[in-house]
């Protein structure tokens, strides 16, 4: 079947760049597709072209997608054009799905049962908690466990060396290598593997087993990879091993949309594609069909300033109507009030997008108080168990019960008491014995320097006082006058969570009521019904990737929050610093290009790098 006949028969409409991409089959090809350029249309049309125009057996084609949901969507898109019978002959899989096939095939070949895949997250969390406690001598919070789990994923996907793991741990003052080693050894001893192990083992099997490698290379003679910018280093290595010498690989992605560095995304593979695949073609799809021209022009102008990218220039398929709106919120509280008033009269699809889950909590709190309907994508509860939040809550609890020895031993060194551990333990023992508050006991019966005595008296006075303060003032006192800010600086903890806590506390008459409200919010988020008809959508930018909305608000676009760090002089910055900063810029770019018709950005004036560059 000729190409034009194919397009007419299946009623497929393609522009010039898309037509070229669909017909690139024999040479290794990297297709760089800007946001809203129709990459899924091209992927699906290309599969049909290979089958109907090139007579390639569908069983010889493998399409790799980033998520299970994406595999189902891709298959459904293909079936809607070419029918379910043909769709079922094609193989749509995640990289983990492929790795599972490799491991099972290897097990059959050597007559051994593969390790059991751990899918029970409760079991895995308990295992990590025990290993964390053994390594740090501290009980982990839910946030700690999430962090450790993410680090283990990062290590395996980035294929880090022991020295690199140690350095990664030192950056967070964490015995990461010990935790990682113990975790891996325990899993192996129990004949278990996690999802990241699947990739580690599959890669090893492909590298060492020539017959196994050749079997899969023969089986999958043509490989398509979607969202290639989100693929990790080990995943790229597995795909390279599968493609073999024929190297009939078709990789679709855009390094400008690589925003999963924390999951070990490796966009460098796109930048090095021509070097690693001799004879490769790099094609572009630069026409954006989604967004208003004003949005497209501003976003394109912005991303051009990144250095770690292929040269390309996005342009709009439709004319511009609305200018990008910059809103001066007069501070973060003003931003929250503006969103509340907007939501009261919202009559069209509107997404409020943010960098981190915690950023939306003050807005969510206001929406709940006002009875405003909203949809929230991938809500996260780890804020409520994060160490900063837990510490501030514990200081409030200690103010309520100054005899609580368990809490005191968790917080005494996080306030400016400068009390030794031995003195703290002695004060707790005597407090129980004499039935007196701990700080009073320390002052009356423990030997301390005059300076420490003064610090203890000051803390005793402030702890009594904060119980009668408004909620936000109490949090401010704890952070700035009880010394918790010094502790955060010492431990290299970012202050944003304390600011979010203070914002929520602004609506509470006292810190006791704040504790209750935090529990209420956690329960609301955990059990919130999904209102499909609500016009307001709350989402992180990460969770909104691949989606589009009529109107978008980008919140907290403020130096120190979003972007978290700013590079003022690229010439003096390290490669790692530039890499991190450019990912922050890409995240902003992805958020902006979710908007179809209206884009609104809160402009914090002198403290907002991105908004000054976005015009």
């Amino acid at each position: 079947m000729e190409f034009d006949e194919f397009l007419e028969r299946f009623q497929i409409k393609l522009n010039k760049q898309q037509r070229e991409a669909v017909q690139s089959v024999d040479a290794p090809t990297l297709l760089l597709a800007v946001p809203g350029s129709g990459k899924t249309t091209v992927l699906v049309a290309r599969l049909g072209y290979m089958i109907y125009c090139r007579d390639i057996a569908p069983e010889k084609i493998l399409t790799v997608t980033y998520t299970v949901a994406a595999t189902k969507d891709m298959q459904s898109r293909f079936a809607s054009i070419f029918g379910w019978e043909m769709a079922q002959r094609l193989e749509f899989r995640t990289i983990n799905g492929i790795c599972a096939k490799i491991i099972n095939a290897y097990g059959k070949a050597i007559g051994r049962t593969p390790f059991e895949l751990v899918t029970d997250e409760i079991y895995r969390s308990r295992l990590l908690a025990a290993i964390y406690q053994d390594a740090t001598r501290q009980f982990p919070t839910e946030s700690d466990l999430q962090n450790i789990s993410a680090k283990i994923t990062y290590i395996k996907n980035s294929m880090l060396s022991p020295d690199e793991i140690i350095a990664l741990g030192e950056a967070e003052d964490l015995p990461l290598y010990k935790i990682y080693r113990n975790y891996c050894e325990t899993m192996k001893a129990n004949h278990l593997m996690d999802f990241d192990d699947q990739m580690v083992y599959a890669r090893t099997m492909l590298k060492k087993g020539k017959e196994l490698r050749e079997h899969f290379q023969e089986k999958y003679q043509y490989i398509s990879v979607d969202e290639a910018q989100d693929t990790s280093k080990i995943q790229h290595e597995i795909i390279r091993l599968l493609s073999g010498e024929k190297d009939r690989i078709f990789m679709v992605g855009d390094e400008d949309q690589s925003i999963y560095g924390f999951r070990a995304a490796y966009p460098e593979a796109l930048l090095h594609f021509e070097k690693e695949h001799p004879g490769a073609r790099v094609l572009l799809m630069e026409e954006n069909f989604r967004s208003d021209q004003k949005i497209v022009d501003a976003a394109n102008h912005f991303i051009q300033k990144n250095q770690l990218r292929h040269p390309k220039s996005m342009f709009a398929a439709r004319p511009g109507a609305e200018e990008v709106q910059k809103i001066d919120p007069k501070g973060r509280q003003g931003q929250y009030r503006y969103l509340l008033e907007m939501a009261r009269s919202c009559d069209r699809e509107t997404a409020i997008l943010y960098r981190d889950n915690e950023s939306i909590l003050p807005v969510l709190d206001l929406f709940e108080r006002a009875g405003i309907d909203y949809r929230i994508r991938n809500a996260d509860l780890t804020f409520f168990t994060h160490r900063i939040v837990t510490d501030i809550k514990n200081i409030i609890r200690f103010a309520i019960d100054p005899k609580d020895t368990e809490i005191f031993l968790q917080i005494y060194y996080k306030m400016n008491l400068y009390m030794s551990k031995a003195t703290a333990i002695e004060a707790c023992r005597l407090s129980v014995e004499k039935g007196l508050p701990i700080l009073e006991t320390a002052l009356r019966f423990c030997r301390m320097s005059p300076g420490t005595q003064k610090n203890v008296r000051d803390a005793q006075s402030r702890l009594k006082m904060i119980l009668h303060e408004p909620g936000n003032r109490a949090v401010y006192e704890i952070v700035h006058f009880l010394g918790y800010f010094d502790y955060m600086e010492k431990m290299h903890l970012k202050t944003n969570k304390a600011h979010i806590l203070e914002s929520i506390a602004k609506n509470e008459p006292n810190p006791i009521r704040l504790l209750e409200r935090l529990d209420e919010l956690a329960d609301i988020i955990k059990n919130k019904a999904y209102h499909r008809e609500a016009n307001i959508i709350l989402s992180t930018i990460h969770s909104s990737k691949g989606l589009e909305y009529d109107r978008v608000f980008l919140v907290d676009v403020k130096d120190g929050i979003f972007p978290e760090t700013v590079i003022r002089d690229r010439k003096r910055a390290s490669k790692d610093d530039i890499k991190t900063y450019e990912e922050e810029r890409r995240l902003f770019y992805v958020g902006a290009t979710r908007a179809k018709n209206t884009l609104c950005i809160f402009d914090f004036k002198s403290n907002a790098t991105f908004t000054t560059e976005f015009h």
Side-chain angles (χ1 to χ4, degrees):
M1 187 184 300
E2 294 299 319
F3 185 53
D4 287 338
E5 182 186 352
F6 165 75
L7 295 179
E8 184 177 350
R9 175 180 169 183
F10 293 105
Q11 297 183 323
I12 300 170
K13 294 182 180 181
L14 304 172
N15 64 22
K16 183 180 178 181
Q17 289 183 325
Q18 291 172 331
R19 289 170 68 99
E20 186 179 8
V22 166
Q23 294 177 86
S24 183
V25 172
D26 296 317
T29 302
L30 172 62
L31 176 61
L32 298 170
V34 304
S37 60
K39 68 177 181 63
T40 304
T41 296
V42 167
L43 274 164
V44 168
R46 182 176 175 275
L47 292 172
Y49 170 77
M50 292 167 71
I51 296 167
Y52 292 99
C53 297
R54 298 293 301 275
D55 296 321
I56 296 169
E59 291 80 8
K60 296 293 184 181
I61 305 170
L62 170 66
T63 301
V64 180
T65 60
Y66 192 58
T67 64
V68 173
T71 64
K72 293 177 180 177
D73 178 63
M74 189 83 72
Q75 186 178 41
S76 296
R77 291 279 294 273
F78 181 91
S80 68
I81 300 172
F82 304 106
W84 272 108
E85 184 179 347
M86 188 61 74
Q88 289 171 343
R89 292 177 62 188
L90 284 164
E91 201 160 333
F92 300 90
R93 288 188 180 271
T94 63
I95 194 72
N96 279 96
I98 295 299
C99 290
K101 287 192 71 171
I102 293 167
I103 291 169
N104 287 330
Y106 181 78
K108 286 180 181 179
I110 65 171
R112 290 178 61 181
T113 302
F115 286 177
E116 182 182 351
L117 179 66
V118 175
T119 57
D120 184 351
E121 280 303 311
I122 295 176
Y123 170 84
R124 188 165 175 271
S125 291
R126 287 173 180 167
L127 175 61
L128 284 173
I131 292 169
Y132 181 96
Q133 187 178 345
D134 179 67
T136 64
R137 302 302 177 191
Q138 294 181 7
F139 289 103
T141 65
E142 183 182 345
S143 178
D144 292 329
L145 293 178
Q146 187 181 65
N147 181 45
I148 287 295
S149 180
K151 289 290 187 293
I152 290 172
T153 289
Y154 184 86
I155 289 165
K156 292 177 182 178
N157 276 268
S158 299
M159 300 189 291
L160 298 187
S161 68
D163 286 345
E164 289 171 324
I165 299 170
I166 291 168
L168 185 64
E170 286 176 348
E172 294 192 22
D173 194 26
L174 191 68
L176 183 59
Y177 182 68
K178 181 178 181 181
I179 293 170
Y180 175 73
R181 186 189 61 209
N182 290 349
Y183 172 77
C184 292
E185 289 174 353
T186 303
M187 292 287 281
K188 285 181 181 178
N190 289 284
H191 299 278
L192 299 173
M193 63 179 172
D194 59 26
F195 286 103
D196 301 308
D197 286 328
Q198 278 189 319
M199 291 181 285
V200 173
Y201 295 149
R203 172 181 173 269
T204 301
M205 291 168 186
L206 287 174
K207 285 194 74 173
K208 293 184 176 180
K210 182 181 178 184
E211 289 185 9
L212 181 74
R213 185 171 65 250
E214 290 177 346
H215 165 76
F216 280 98
Q217 288 173 351
E218 174 63 25
K219 181 175 177 61
Y220 303 126
Q221 294 185 15
Y222 299 86
I223 300 175
S224 300
V225 182
D226 189 20
E227 300 288 8
Q229 76 280 345
D230 297 331
T231 307
S232 69
K233 194 171 186 178
I234 195 170
Q235 290 169 347
H236 278 288
E237 175 74 3
I238 291 166
I239 291 165
R240 187 187 64 78
L241 289 166
L242 287 172
S243 63
E245 292 182 2
K246 293 180 180 178
D247 206 17
R248 296 187 184 122
I249 187 167
F250 184 75
M251 195 168 280
V252 184
D254 179 11
E255 70 279 349
D256 290 337
Q257 298 181 69
S258 181
I259 58 175
Y260 290 104
F262 63 95
R263 292 184 188 167
Y266 188 62
E268 290 87 342
L270 277 63
L271 298 174
H272 304 151
F273 188 82
E274 292 168 282
K275 182 180 178 181
E276 295 184 3
H277 299 272
R281 305 179 70 197
V282 177
L283 304 179
L284 303 177
M285 290 201 328
E286 299 165 295
E287 187 172 10
N288 180 303
F289 296 95
R290 173 190 300 146
S291 302
D292 176 288
Q293 184 182 351
K294 302 282 188 181
I295 297 170
V296 170
D297 289 349
N300 181 63
H301 173 82
F302 177 81
I303 203 62
Q304 293 291 335
K305 296 182 181 180
N306 269 22
Q307 297 175 355
L308 307 175
R309 65 190 298 270
H310 285 90
K312 53 186 174 295
S313 187
M314 180 171 61
F315 62 93
R318 60 189 178 93
E322 292 188 43
E323 296 289 343
V324 174
Q325 298 178 29
K326 292 183 181 180
I327 303 163
D328 182 3
K330 307 297 183 186
R332 293 179 86 178
Q333 292 299 326
Q335 174 184 248
Y336 304 144
R337 289 192 296 271
Y338 185 99
L339 289 171
L340 177 62
E341 292 308 310
M342 178 277 297
R344 290 186 195 276
S345 57
C346 182
D347 59 358
R348 59 171 166 149
E349 181 188 57
T350 299
I352 301 172
L353 304 183
Y354 36 92
R355 184 185 184 279
D356 296 311
N357 278 291
E358 64 202 43
S359 294
I360 204 60
L361 290 176
V363 178
L364 187 150
D365 180 42
L366 291 175
F367 283 6
E368 286 292 335
R369 292 173 188 272
I372 292 171
D373 283 342
Y374 60 89
R375 290 177 269 163
I376 186 165
R377 291 181 53 81
N378 296 337
D380 189 286
L381 291 168
T382 53
F383 170 84
F384 299 97
T385 61
H386 189 275
R387 195 159 298 281
I388 288 174
V389 178
T390 300
D391 285 344
I392 293 174
K393 287 164 65 177
N394 278 341
I395 291 171
I396 294 171
R397 291 184 180 121
F398 182 68
I400 296 168
D401 182 4
K403 296 180 182 179
D404 192 320
T405 57
E406 183 178 345
I407 286 181
F408 180 72
L409 290 176
Q410 292 179 46
I411 63 167
Y412 75 93
Y413 57 93
K414 299 172 183 179
M415 301 186 289
N416 283 339
L417 297 179
Y418 299 103
M419 180 186 289
S420 69
K421 184 176 181 180
T423 302
I425 292 171
E426 178 69 3
C428 287
R429 184 187 68 79
L430 291 172
S431 170
V432 173
E433 182 181 298
K434 300 179 181 297
L436 295 172
I438 297 166
L439 295 183
E440 182 180 338
T441 301
L443 289 168
R444 291 176 60 180
F445 301 106
C446 295
R447 295 182 62 182
M448 298 182 293
S449 69
T452 300
Q453 288 180 347
K454 180 182 182 302
N455 293 334
V456 171
R457 287 193 191 94
D458 289 346
Q460 190 179 35
S461 174
R462 289 195 180 278
L463 285 167
K464 289 178 182 177
M465 182 176 64
I466 65 170
L467 293 179
H468 306 287
E469 298 273 13
N472 60 320
R473 182 64 193 175
V475 174
Y476 186 87
E477 290 266 346
I478 289 168
V479 172
H480 295 283
F481 296 117
L482 275 169
Y484 192 71
F485 182 83
D486 295 337
Y487 173 76
M488 286 193 291
E489 281 203 321
K490 177 184 174 184
M491 301 304 293
H492 308 292
L493 297 172
K494 299 178 180 68
T495 60
N496 191 50
K497 287 180 175 61
H499 288 302
I500 295 297
L501 196 58
E502 191 177 338
S503 295
I504 296 170
K506 187 175 181 64
N507 299 303
E508 300 302 340
N510 55 62
I512 298 173
R513 176 58 200 148
L514 171 61
L515 297 182
E516 295 170 351
R517 184 56 180 168
L518 290 173
D519 289 341
E520 290 167 4
L521 283 174
D523 187 63
I524 287 167
I525 293 170
K526 183 178 181 180
N527 300 303
K528 183 75 175 179
Y530 191 74
H531 296 284
R532 291 189 177 276
E533 304 306 315
N535 286 322
I536 299 288
I537 300 103
L538 309 180
S539 176
T540 61
I541 298 172
H542 290 98
S543 294
S544 71
K545 192 164 181 289
L547 302 176
E548 57 185 38
Y549 308 100
D550 183 37
R551 176 171 59 174
V552 165
F553 284 86
L554 289 177
V555 303
D556 278 348
V557 186
K558 182 178 188 292
D559 292 356
I561 305 171
F562 186 24
E564 193 170 61
T565 56
V566 179
I567 292 178
R568 304 296 181 189
D569 186 354
R570 286 178 180 262
K571 292 181 180 179
R572 296 184 178 182
S574 68
K575 288 183 179 179
D576 285 343
D577 287 340
I578 291 173
K579 181 180 175 182
T580 299
Y581 179 55
E582 289 207 353
E583 178 160 330
E584 290 277 293
R585 292 177 56 81
R586 295 195 297 266
L587 187 63
F588 183 82
Y589 172 75
V590 168
T593 53
R594 298 312 92 197
K596 291 191 287 186
N597 297 307
T598 306
L599 174 62
C600 307
I601 305 169
F602 286 103
D603 186 357
F604 286 83
K605 297 300 180 185
S606 62
N607 201 10
T609 300
F610 290 175
T611 53
T612 60
E613 295 181 356
F614 198 85
H615 57 80

